[in-house]
Amino acid sequence: MTGHFESEDWRSFDLGHPGGEITTRWLLEKSGLKRGSRILDLCCGAGDSLEVFRKAGFEICGVDRANVLEHAKTKHPGIKEKSLCSWEAGEKIPFPDKTFDAVLCECSLSLFEGERRANIQKEISRVLKEEGLLLLSDITDEMPVTLSGFDLLHWQDGSEHIKPFIARWIWMTERKYPQSCEGDRYFLGVYKKRGSDHGF
Ligand SMILES: C[S@@+](CC[C@H](N)C(=O)[O-])C[C@H]1O[C@@H](n2cnc3c(N)ncnc32)[C@H](O)[C@@H]1O
């Protein structure tokens, strides 16, 4: 799926993800995370979800491609420059082990396949504290989505958000929705990192 995201055409980092703030807030509520917890948004796009977490009193960091982060800085000036770090899939996530209470992945994990995806999941696990949480919302064929090294605590079928999202994409971009992003089902899940004896 990544080819499309390498093209200059790609604008959906500014169109968010299906359900927008509604699905982000569902993940936040189910996570039970307390104000002040440290959250990493992996592929944070325009920074919309970071802004939700920032305003709710969380300590936030976002990683994405450098040009996308420039956009997030302009769109959400309340997000501090040092909270945004350039990252390209295949690289190590630029934080030490066990830094975060939670990692948020909204429409980002499904962009990666095979070994690349497995390595990203390992990196997420590495930067999470013991029993840290992975908050996932993503296009899927599988319901619920299982992730190796993580236990699923809460989940919801969010597929009703897909059609309005596609309609918004077409309205805003005046382009056909990219076939490479199509999927019938949208999944929301809160996972807990498994102890190291059960890990990868
Ligand atoms: C569908 S958008 C989701 C953005 C954000 N999570 C949201 O929900 O609004 C996918 C994001 O993944 C990022 N991305 C895609 N391929 C990437 C790669 N190879 N390395 C780093 N980021 C990538 C894009 O820049 C984009 O911000």
Side-chain angles (χ1 to χ4, degrees):
M1 259 195 205
T2 42
H4 175 72
F5 298 95
E6 273 142 25
S7 76
E8 287 305 312
D9 266 359
W10 177 240
R11 287 190 58 199
S12 79
F13 65 80
D14 197 17
L15 298 178
H17 54 270
E21 204 170 315
I22 294 172
T23 47
T24 304
R25 287 195 180 278
W26 185 89
L27 291 171
L28 177 55
E29 184 199 318
K30 289 292 172 191
S31 73
L33 286 161
K34 303 271 182 293
R35 283 171 73 89
S37 301
R38 301 187 85 184
I39 314 258
L40 172 70
D41 188 350
L42 186 96
C43 298
C44 62
D48 297 347
S49 300
L50 283 175
E51 187 67 357
V52 169
F53 279 87
R54 185 185 74 81
K55 286 184 172 162
F58 291 87
E59 214 181 297
I60 52 160
C61 288
V63 293
D64 207 306
R65 293 171 154 167
N67 63 332
V68 177
L69 296 181
E70 287 310 311
H71 179 73
K73 283 177 201 167
T74 308
K75 188 171 183 190
H76 298 292
I79 299 175
K80 291 186 185 134
E81 173 121 19
K82 65 173 191 197
S83 302
L84 298 171
C85 296
S86 162
W87 173 79
E88 181 71 38
E91 296 174 0
K92 274 186 81 167
I93 296 175
F95 294 97
D97 298 359
K98 301 183 182 170
T99 302
F100 295 100
D101 298 292
V103 174
L104 176 69
C105 294
E106 296 176 303
C107 278
S108 50
L109 268 191
S110 64
L111 307 179
F112 311 109
E113 287 164 356
E115 197 179 338
R116 182 173 259 208
R117 170 148 171 177
N119 285 334
I120 291 171
Q121 283 182 216
K122 280 185 195 161
E123 274 294 284
I124 291 171
S125 191
R126 180 184 66 75
V127 297
L128 275 175
K129 294 178 183 171
E130 293 303 332
E131 304 203 336
L133 301 178
L134 170 54
L135 313 182
L136 178 77
S137 71
D138 219 332
I139 297 287
T140 182
D141 296 327
E142 183 196 0
M143 189 79 72
V145 174
T146 53
L147 293 177
S148 90
F150 291 89
D151 292 320
L152 184 56
L153 304 180
H154 305 282
W155 69 278
Q156 190 178 69
D157 182 345
S159 305
E160 80 271 17
H161 296 296
I162 292 181
K163 279 190 183 154
F165 182 73
I166 293 176
R168 184 163 165 255
W169 162 281
I170 294 168
W171 176 256
M172 291 189 64
T173 65
E174 297 179 351
R175 287 166 197 257
K176 194 175 174 297
Y177 191 68
Q179 204 173 9
S180 58
C181 306
E182 276 175 12
D184 291 339
R185 310 187 79 189
Y186 197 67
F187 176 77
L188 308 177
V190 176
Y191 300 80
K192 186 162 80 174
K193 176 176 151 175
R194 228 174 260 159
S196 49
D197 50 334
H198 299 105
F200 290 94

